[in-house]
Amino acid sequence: MTTHDTRVSVLGLGEMGRALPAALVKGGYVTTVWNRSPGKADDLVAQGAVAAGSAREAVGTSPLVIVCLFDHASVHEVLDPLAEDLAGRTLVNLTTTSPDQSREIAAWAAAAGIAYLDGGIMAVPQMIGQAGSSILYSGSTAVFEQYRPLLDLWGESAYFGDDAGMASLYDLALLAGMYVMFAGFMHGAAMVGAAGVSAGEFAKRAAPWLSAMTFALEGFAEVIDGGDYGVAGQQSLEFSDLGDMVAASAAQGISTEVVDMVQTLIRRQIDAGHGTDGFARIFESIKHPA
Amino acid sequence: MTTHDTRVSVLGLGEMGRALPAALVKGGYVTTVWNRSPGKADDLVAQGAVAAGSAREAVGTSPLVIVCLFDHASVHEVLDPLAEDLAGRTLVNLTTTSPDQSREIAAWAAAAGIAYLDGGIMAVPQMIGQAGSSILYSGSTAVFEQYRPLLDLWGESAYFGDDAGMASLYDLALLAGMYVMFAGFMHGAAMVGAAGVSAGEFAKRAAPWLSAMTFALEGFAEVIDGGDYGVAGQQSLEFSDLGDMVAASAAQGISTEVVDMVQTLIRRQIDAGHGTDGFARIFESIKHPA
């Protein structure tokens, strides 16, 4: 039988958990949905999804089960009682978890005879199925390849090998960059905010500025991978000293914690005698904890 | 006499200090250049600039004097002996200084009868005169308006009023965002680096990701300016808790300082009872030092 099986169940209908099945319904899949607290499925049902009365019913309906729950503990709470129901089926876990938690669930799935793929979503719910959305996967290659057309409905699908923890690690690394960037923006907004500039006015300039400055990341990466932080054409650590920035922040009466963090990474390298090396050397301050 | 005076002198020929007169020469200005240590003017002279034998000679040659020196102290070292020569002329200071330092130089200039405009360059030298380059100015409105055609040769010119310190403050605020974003990238690179991923491979994904995520800044700004951190449609602080990210970083054997910084800002608001408010509330952690 070559009929393409289009049955899929989605457990967990938070904001992201609702965006995922919405894209599947739109893509022609027979989509069953379930959420612990009621009412979350209504809009999806109006779009064509089927609401299951229990997690067991949802799991029993489809060969492919997707979970997008609150955290690692919720995944076990919901799925542990259903291990036998899941045996022989495929589980794609898009819950945000740590690499070790992903590996732990992968081992649990393997022991229960469940094919497992772990995913990390690099998008906000509104971006699912739109340009700019990408989802990182690791775990079963077979699952990734079999379900690629379905996965691609959500955005770009990237596969990082059979270590189930790798997608989570990559996900967390990219999210780390994002949260830290957000904090940097907030710090800048607080600096000019103390002089009466609105955050909105600052954002209009900061968003395109930060976006443009991402061009520098590839250059830093080249230096890091090249292993010679003294290579020509870089801004030196000494020149990058943020003393003026820290002082100006303090003069505005705001916390200096955000910029202190970068200054600490810079100073550690300067104090170790590397002041003429390039800024990329702060990577070493992170790689080797003080 | 309506003849347009095209004479301009540039003092300080570091990497940025060479990019500035290069654009002026190209734009048809009669450009005199000077640097404390010799040899820096050679390329510019080949392009059509005139090298002055001393800072005094450079100042005496043009009605408009632009300085781009190492720091605030260098500006005084070079210009203090030339106050009388500068009297009646216009000084545009593009040296990176703190807001208070800019105000101090503005007061010095005012006392010496020198028209003064302060500027902060939001570009790397290669970007001068190219798309994406912008320079922030504050100080004399008359100087900004008179020399606007010249200033526009370097990039977009933005004026922030007659407080000479405002351009520096804005400059530092945007640079703060940039350096913090760079540190966030380095942290992510270190996380996946510990699992064997090259920084270059990570940068290929991180640069477009961070660039795309700048879309969120305007939303944060709206919440901050609106004054209600509980407004609907936001990711809550509780959901933003970075405990997993910090633990995963530690598990990779790298420093957690970078993400600890953001987690500290988040936890301070959660601990104060605001966990259901949106992530934008970390602004308050910065605005009001602990």
Side-chain angles (χ1 to χ4, degrees):
Chain A
M1 172 164 147
T2 58
T3 308
H4 176 48
D5 195 323
T6 60
R7 293 170 300 161
V8 53
S9 294
V10 180
L11 278 63
L13 304 176
E15 212 190 332
M16 184 62 84
R18 292 198 300 278
L20 300 170
L24 300 181
V25 168
K26 209 173 149 197
Y29 283 83
V30 178
T31 310
T32 299
V33 295
W34 173 84
N35 193 64
R36 187 196 304 258
S37 56
K40 298 280 190 177
D42 299 352
D43 280 0
L44 291 163
V45 168
Q47 289 165 48
V50 176
S54 69
R56 174 164 281 122
E57 185 190 320
V59 165
T61 305
S62 310
L64 173 62
V65 176
I66 291 155
V67 296
C68 185
L69 295 160
F70 185 70
D71 60 11
H72 176 250
S74 336
V75 175
H76 274 299
E77 273 169 42
V78 173
L79 298 187
D80 280 358
L82 305 177
E84 286 181 23
D85 304 80
L86 279 162
R89 302 181 196 266
T90 294
L91 177 63
V92 175
N93 179 22
L94 298 175
T95 307
T96 301
T97 53
S98 74
D100 285 345
Q101 290 169 341
S102 295
R103 289 179 192 118
E104 189 277 330
I105 297 172
W108 172 88
I114 306 163
Y116 184 77
L117 186 67
D118 199 275
I121 302 175
M122 306 314 298
V124 291
Q126 307 92 284
M127 286 167 66
I128 295 297
Q130 311 290 325
S133 163
S134 65
I135 306 194
L136 316 182
Y137 297 97
S138 61
S140 164
T141 313
V143 170
F144 180 75
E145 286 176 357
Q146 182 184 351
Y147 289 106
R148 187 74 192 266
L150 180 150
L151 305 177
D152 286 348
L153 290 173
W154 294 323
E156 183 217 342
S157 310
Y159 180 69
F160 291 91
D162 58 9
D163 168 7
M166 200 60 205
S168 288
L169 182 63
Y170 229 104
D171 182 12
L172 283 169
L174 289 165
L175 288 174
M178 180 192 79
Y179 279 109
V180 173
M181 175 178 77
F182 287 167
F185 163 74
M186 302 285 187
H187 183 85
M191 282 181 83
V192 295
V197 178
S198 73
E201 200 185 314
F202 183 68
K204 266 186 228 146
R205 192 162 288 275
W209 160 252
L210 292 176
S211 180
M213 288 303 108
T214 60
F215 97 96
L217 304 184
E218 217 158 320
F220 292 144
E222 262 176 50
V223 173
I224 293 167
D225 292 336
D228 176 10
Y229 292 105
V231 73
Q234 298 178 81
Q235 179 176 310
S236 74
L237 279 161
E238 273 159 5
F239 188 85
S240 309
D241 185 288
L242 303 185
D244 280 354
M245 191 182 283
V246 172
S249 301
Q252 297 297 103
I254 66 169
S255 164
T256 61
E257 291 159 286
V258 178
V259 285
D260 281 343
M261 175 275 290
V262 189
Q263 175 72 337
T264 300
L265 302 177
I266 292 171
R267 290 303 320 177
R268 200 178 303 151
Q269 295 302 317
I270 294 177
D271 292 347
H274 305 297
T276 57
D277 276 356
F279 176 78
R281 197 182 178 103
I282 70 163
F283 182 79
E284 296 297 313
S285 294
I286 303 167
K287 188 175 174 184
H288 305 289
Chain B
M1 173 161 144
T2 58
T3 309
H4 176 48
D5 195 323
T6 60
R7 293 170 300 162
V8 53
S9 294
V10 180
L11 279 62
L13 305 175
E15 212 189 333
M16 185 61 84
R18 292 199 299 278
L20 299 170
L24 300 181
V25 169
K26 210 174 148 195
Y29 284 83
V30 177
T31 311
T32 299
V33 295
W34 173 84
N35 194 64
R36 187 197 305 258
S37 57
K40 298 280 188 178
D42 298 352
D43 281 358
L44 290 163
V45 168
Q47 290 164 50
V50 176
S54 69
R56 174 163 281 120
E57 186 190 321
V59 166
T61 305
S62 310
L64 172 63
V65 176
I66 291 155
V67 296
C68 185
L69 294 160
F70 184 70
D71 60 11
H72 176 251
S74 337
V75 174
H76 274 300
E77 273 168 43
V78 173
L79 299 187
D80 280 357
L82 305 176
E84 286 181 23
D85 304 80
L86 279 162
R89 302 181 195 266
T90 294
L91 176 63
V92 175
N93 179 22
L94 298 175
T95 307
T96 302
T97 53
S98 74
D100 285 345
Q101 289 169 342
S102 295
R103 290 179 191 117
E104 188 277 329
I105 298 172
W108 172 88
I114 305 162
Y116 184 77
L117 185 68
D118 199 275
I121 302 175
M122 307 313 298
V124 291
Q126 307 92 285
M127 286 167 66
I128 294 298
Q130 310 291 327
S133 163
S134 65
I135 306 194
L136 317 181
Y137 298 97
S138 60
S140 164
T141 314
V143 170
F144 180 74
E145 287 176 357
Q146 182 184 351
Y147 289 106
R148 186 73 192 265
L150 180 150
L151 305 177
D152 286 348
L153 290 173
W154 295 324
E156 183 217 342
S157 310
Y159 180 68
F160 290 90
D162 57 10
D163 168 7
M166 199 60 206
S168 289
L169 181 63
Y170 229 105
D171 182 12
L172 283 169
L174 289 166
L175 288 173
M178 180 193 79
Y179 279 108
V180 174
M181 176 179 77
F182 287 167
F185 163 73
M186 301 285 187
H187 183 85
M191 281 181 83
V192 296
V197 178
S198 73
E201 200 185 313
F202 183 69
K204 267 185 229 148
R205 193 162 285 276
W209 160 252
L210 292 175
S211 181
M213 288 304 108
T214 60
F215 96 95
L217 304 184
E218 215 157 322
F220 293 144
E222 262 175 49
V223 174
I224 293 166
D225 292 336
D228 176 10
Y229 291 106
V231 73
Q234 298 177 81
Q235 180 177 309
S236 74
L237 279 161
E238 274 160 3
F239 189 84
S240 309
D241 185 287
L242 302 185
D244 281 355
M245 191 182 284
V246 171
S249 301
Q252 296 297 103
I254 67 169
S255 163
T256 61
E257 291 159 286
V258 178
V259 284
D260 281 343
M261 175 276 291
V262 190
Q263 175 72 337
T264 299
L265 302 177
I266 291 171
R267 289 304 318 178
R268 199 177 303 150
Q269 294 303 317
I270 294 177
D271 293 346
H274 305 297
T276 57
D277 276 357
F279 176 77
R281 197 181 179 103
I282 70 163
F283 182 79
E284 296 296 313
S285 294
I286 302 167
K287 187 175 174 184
H288 305 289

